Amino acid sequence: MTSRVLLVEDEPLIAMMLEDFLDALDRQCAGTADCVEAALPLVEAGGFDCAILDVNLRGGEKSWPIAAALAERNVPFVFATGGADDMIAEEFRARPILQKPFTLDGVEKALNAL
């Protein structure tokens, strides 16, 4: 099963590592964004099966607007964070969490659970 994954991650090296993980897991990166402004048009355009959202983006920005847009479209997603669950906005606390630092196994389990 190949799935196309949208990545929202503001650290270029981490985004590249996630792209490598997706490749190793026989999944495709459907696009990357590093902020809400860049991600929302990608969500609007579609063409992906699920998404990995870094909770904390550049300049203190949070990925909640992206999560809301994905939820409206019934696109599954996982939050990526190094923080505790209580950092997740209340309406999204039931969503799966991918803990940083990322491991290949962790990414695989998170995506398989979607």
Side-chain angles (χ1 to χ4, degrees), residues 22-97:
L22 292 177
D23 192 45
L25 296 168
D26 194 30
R27 296 173 191 254
Q28 291 179 311
C29 177
T32 58
D34 62 1
C35 64
V36 172
E37 185 180 4
L40 288 177
L42 296 176
V43 171
E44 188 73 32
F48 56 92
D49 305 303
C50 60
I52 297 175
L53 305 182
D54 186 7
V55 169
N56 296 302
L57 300 171
R58 200 165 279 143
E61 190 175 57
K62 301 284 189 194
S63 61
W64 312 143
I66 307 162
L70 290 167
E72 271 178 29
R73 291 163 176 78
N74 293 315
V75 176
F77 61 90
V78 59
F79 284 116
T81 181
D85 291 349
D86 62 357
M87 292 177 58
I88 304 296
E90 195 167 331
E91 65 265 35
F92 301 121
R93 289 207 181 131
R95 298 286 177 165
I97 303 287

